[in-house]
Amino acid sequence: MQEITGSELSPRKAEYLKYIYSQGEVVRTTDIATQFSVAPSTVTKALSEITDAGYLEHSPYQGVSLTPAGTTYARFLFRRHRIIALALSRYGLEPDEACREASKIEAHVSKDLVNRICKSLGHPIMSVCGKIEHDHNCCCPPN
């Protein structure tokens, strides 16, 4: 896999990946369709494309699970969201408002910009949305 830029997946597919990550093990297509209020066929098509990109493994009649690359990418997606939300909260937005607004713009923010924001905030470990996980490929050097 190539280095993450932040624009590998469409915003909707990125949301599916985040949902799968948050659920843990194998996630059924119908669960994703219900969560996002879309037809199962819509989810199936998107999951097929995410699988082709190398982020998911599909087990017919079972569901999907993240590949190691999918886990790495999902962690980046959560990190990006939480850093953007934290930055927005510093400009006076309430926590829930910062989280909602971050969701609207995060797909347009590159990994490089996320790293710059992270550095400017002093490499925070907590956001208004939850814990910020840093990997050793981000702007934080390994301990």
Side-chain angles (χ1 to χ4, degrees):
M1 286 255 117
Q2 294 181 323
E3 184 175 332
I4 294 170
T5 64
S7 60
E8 289 79 3
L9 296 175
S10 69
R12 175 59 71 149
K13 290 175 189 167
E15 288 302 313
Y16 291 168
L17 201 68
K18 286 168 56 177
Y19 176 74
I20 294 164
Y21 178 80
S22 71
Q23 296 305 298
E25 297 296 316
V26 177
V27 180
R28 297 177 320 161
T29 302
T30 54
D31 294 337
I32 299 168
T34 300
Q35 174 67 26
F36 291 94
S37 302
V38 297
S41 60
T42 301
V43 173
T44 299
K45 183 176 187 282
L47 295 179
S48 175
E49 293 169 3
I50 300 169
T51 299
D52 291 345
Y55 298 118
L56 294 176
E57 291 179 357
H58 180 255
S59 301
Y61 306 104
Q62 300 292 317
V64 294
S65 59
L66 295 170
T67 63
T71 299
T72 298
Y73 195 61
R75 285 181 172 162
F76 161 74
L77 294 171
F78 273 103
R79 177 177 172 264
R80 175 172 68 181
H81 173 84
R82 289 174 178 170
I83 287 173
I84 293 168
L86 179 61
L88 292 173
S89 74
R90 301 276 172 102
Y91 288 97
L93 278 71
E94 294 295 321
D96 60 333
E97 183 182 18
C99 189
R100 277 194 316 275
E101 294 299 322
S103 293
K104 294 176 185 177
I105 65 172
E106 64 192 9
H108 306 287
V109 179
S110 70
K111 182 177 182 181
D112 182 55
L113 182 55
V114 170
N115 287 343
R116 289 178 184 195
I117 294 169
C118 181
K119 185 176 180 179
S120 75
L121 293 173
H123 308 292
I125 57 171
M126 202 62 174
S127 173
V128 295
C129 302
K131 184 176 185 283
I132 297 172
E133 289 186 46
H134 296 284
D135 62 29
H136 299 302
N137 296 321
C138 75
C139 57
C140 298
N143 294 336

